[in-house]
Amino acid sequence: MAVSRRSAPLLSVLFAGFATYLIASLVSTGQTFLTASPSGNVRGGRTAMRGFKEDFEAWRSSLTPEERQLMADQAEGEFNKGFRKSDAFKQELSKEKIGSFAQVLGKFFDTESEDYKKEQAAKTPDYNSLLKKAGDKKLDMSLKNRIVELDRDADRRYHFATQKIRQAESKGEYFMQSSPYMEKWTVPNGEAAEHEANKKLLETLKQVAADSGCPAKLKPAIEEAVKKGVPAMGQEFSLTLPQVLVNQGNWLRMSIAQGVKNMAKTKSESEVSSFVSSEVPKVGSEMVGSIVEGYYSARNEVQKAADDMKAFYRGQEKFNDPKRTKADVLKQMWAELGKGDKKLPPLDEEVLAELAKEPAVQEGEYMHSWGTADKLYKSEAIDAFGLKYLLGVFETTEEATKAFEEWNKEYEAARVTMKSEMDQWAKQEAAR
């Protein structure tokens, strides 16, 4: 249904208000992705070494100054032949001190040995891990059914929209986006000024719905919004709007804002303020009106083409005469073509005789659901490995489910037969 020029101002006001409210409510939220820094494999030996250092320092602090000096002298003169022959080199610490040092060393070596064993165990893969995880599990070989809805109306709209876009591009023109998809948008309603503006917005909606040029598919959404009314201030207020219009409204707002920002670089503050208050509303209103009118014009054009295609296929219904042959069809076509200025030659009788043997309606072609249906349903069988098998495309979910049930019945019967054959084969092999 085309939008009349008389309703364009109302729609312009409506969607100008929508764009203003919606843009104000769009608050971009940033997301911070925290990635933990990778921790390397630290050898347990470092921990053991730190423990040894603490124990050694504790043991060393138990030595007297004379014993510390004796150990230092012996370490320094280890490779001095003269010192090695002296009594100082042969002098030893007490058995108690040596025993406690032996305990410190023993503890260190034990810890180091445990860490080494752990490292070796970690490096060696567990070759039986798969058996441990899945050894006791039985693979479910049964089939699962999935029914996928096919929106044939959407397919037709997409076909004609892309076709018209390509045609426009070939001429250097632009075809407006025409998707009828509706989205729920939240409108600011937290302050008194916003709350009052929302009430005025609903009044505008009433006028738009009452206008004869309002699209029929838009009226139910408007009537529902008006019926609900504006909630109390501070509560969420949402409207269902065409996604394309909202996105284009957002783009328009950002473009105007960028233009004003660029203007501020060369103009005074008073000039910019005057332009924003006097010119921006006019420009915005004209642009929004153009966007709304262009959107509905493109959407209705695409929808009409899709409806015409569906009506063409459904038109076969009045030609369901089983006695009708292809010769009858050709004669009817020839008669219509002969109504023009150019006179057509008579049809060949032999050709007509051959065509008279063939029925006009071919089995499986009459009123084919792919051309006549609004929605269809694809039935799929999915096996244990995720492989999908298309069982067919049907007009109802019941037919799609029935097709799977019949197919699954044969599949289960084949599984039983295969298991029996495998058991028989195993017995034969074992008997060899």
Side-chain angles (χ1 to χ4, degrees):
M1 182 183 291
V3 180
S4 68
R5 292 187 177 275
R6 191 161 60 87
S7 65
L10 290 175
L11 290 171
S12 300
V13 172
L14 169 63
F15 287 103
F18 282 175
T20 303
Y21 284 104
L22 295 172
I23 294 162
S25 68
L26 294 178
V27 180
S28 59
T29 57
Q31 291 183 335
T32 304
F33 294 90
L34 303 178
T35 305
S37 56
S39 57
N41 291 329
V42 181
R43 285 194 64 211
R46 295 182 183 177
T47 306
M49 183 61 75
R50 286 196 294 271
F52 171 74
K53 182 180 178 182
E54 294 171 358
D55 293 341
F56 178 76
E57 289 295 337
W59 175 81
R60 188 169 177 271
S61 64
S62 67
L63 300 177
T64 62
E66 292 79 9
E67 290 172 332
R68 291 184 185 180
Q69 186 61 42
L70 174 63
M71 290 188 65
D73 292 342
Q74 288 179 344
E76 185 178 353
E78 175 68 24
F79 301 103
N80 187 323
K81 292 182 179 180
F83 180 76
R84 291 177 69 88
K85 295 177 181 179
S86 65
D87 295 336
F89 181 76
K90 298 176 182 178
Q91 190 175 354
E92 296 180 352
L93 298 175
S94 64
K95 290 182 179 181
E96 182 182 349
K97 297 290 177 65
I98 292 176
S100 61
F101 182 67
Q103 291 179 356
V104 172
L105 282 177
K107 180 181 177 182
F108 168 71
F109 287 125
D110 290 342
T111 305
E112 187 71 11
S113 176
E114 291 176 4
D115 292 339
Y116 175 77
K117 291 178 181 178
K118 289 179 181 178
E119 285 184 6
Q120 291 302 113
K123 290 179 181 178
T124 304
D126 184 1
Y127 298 106
N128 295 322
S129 59
L130 287 177
L131 290 175
K132 292 177 181 177
K133 282 193 172 183
D136 297 334
K137 296 181 180 178
K138 292 184 179 180
L139 187 61
D140 183 7
M141 298 298 292
S142 62
L143 296 176
K144 305 291 187 297
N145 183 218
R146 186 176 75 163
I147 298 175
V148 182
E149 182 182 277
L150 304 176
D151 191 337
R152 290 294 297 135
D153 283 337
D155 291 342
R156 296 182 188 102
R157 286 194 297 268
Y158 179 80
H159 167 75
F160 285 108
T162 53
Q163 185 182 77
K164 292 178 183 297
I165 288 172
R166 287 195 298 268
Q167 290 173 350
E169 288 177 348
S170 67
K171 300 175 184 177
E173 300 173 356
Y174 177 77
F175 188 79
M176 289 283 287
Q177 295 184 35
S178 57
S179 171
Y181 181 72
M182 306 291 283
E183 260 187 345
K184 183 179 178 181
W185 289 83
T186 302
V187 182
N189 191 38
E191 299 179 1
E194 294 171 344
H195 186 66
E196 290 301 318
N198 290 336
K199 290 182 179 179
K200 293 179 181 179
L201 183 61
L202 282 191
E203 289 299 321
T204 306
L205 280 170
K206 283 184 181 180
Q207 298 175 30
V208 172
D211 191 88
S212 59
C214 180
K217 292 185 178 181
L218 187 61
K219 283 187 178 182
I222 294 177
E223 291 172 356
E224 183 181 357
V226 172
K227 183 178 180 181
K228 289 182 179 179
V230 180
M233 187 173 63
Q235 295 183 6
E236 182 181 288
F237 179 41
S238 60
L239 293 170
T240 303
L241 305 170
Q243 184 192 59
V244 169
L245 281 181
V246 174
N247 291 340
Q248 291 181 343
N250 289 340
W251 173 85
L252 175 62
R253 169 195 166 281
M254 290 187 290
S255 299
I256 293 176
Q258 185 61 42
V260 172
K261 186 178 179 181
N262 294 337
M263 181 182 179
K265 296 177 181 178
T266 57
K267 302 292 183 180
S268 65
E269 185 177 347
S270 59
E271 289 177 316
V272 174
S273 178
S274 175
F275 177 79
V276 170
S277 59
S278 61
E279 297 300 325
V280 168
K282 296 178 183 178
V283 174
S285 178
E286 291 176 3
M287 290 294 294
V288 169
S290 176
I291 288 173
V292 171
E293 186 173 356
Y295 165 72
Y296 278 106
S297 175
R299 197 185 81 170
N300 294 336
E301 184 178 343
V302 169
Q303 186 63 53
K304 183 178 183 304
D307 292 341
D308 289 346
M309 174 182 273
K310 185 166 57 177
F312 170 78
Y313 284 101
R314 289 182 175 180
Q316 298 179 52
E317 190 173 6
K318 58 186 177 182
F319 299 107
N320 191 24
D321 184 0
K323 297 180 180 180
R324 186 180 175 85
T325 66
K326 287 187 177 182
D328 298 326
V329 176
L330 181 57
K331 289 177 182 178
Q332 187 177 0
M333 290 173 56
W334 210 251
E336 291 295 325
L337 291 172
K339 292 179 180 179
D341 297 333
K342 189 175 180 180
K343 189 176 180 180
L344 298 177
L347 292 169
D348 188 277
E349 291 298 328
E350 292 183 5
V351 173
L352 290 176
E354 289 295 325
L355 292 176
K357 299 175 183 178
E358 300 182 28
V361 178
Q362 298 291 329
E363 186 177 354
E365 294 181 2
Y366 176 72
M367 293 290 288
H368 198 288
S369 60
W370 192 255
T372 61
D374 298 331
K375 294 183 187 296
L376 294 173
Y377 301 91
K378 180 171 67 173
S379 183
E380 295 178 340
I382 305 174
D383 67 13
F385 305 100
L387 296 177
K388 299 172 187 171
Y389 304 89
L390 177 62
L391 308 183
V393 178
F394 304 92
E395 296 187 45
T396 64
T397 54
E398 291 76 12
E399 290 176 330
T401 303
K402 183 180 178 182
F404 170 76
E405 290 173 350
E406 293 176 353
W407 206 76
N408 188 53
K409 184 178 180 181
E410 295 184 14
Y411 171 78
E412 292 295 339
R415 282 183 63 194
V416 172
T417 303
M418 182 180 292
K419 186 177 183 304
S420 175
E421 291 175 353
M422 288 297 294
D423 291 342
Q424 187 65 28
W425 176 82
K427 291 177 181 179
Q428 290 174 359
E429 291 298 311
R432 286 187 179 183

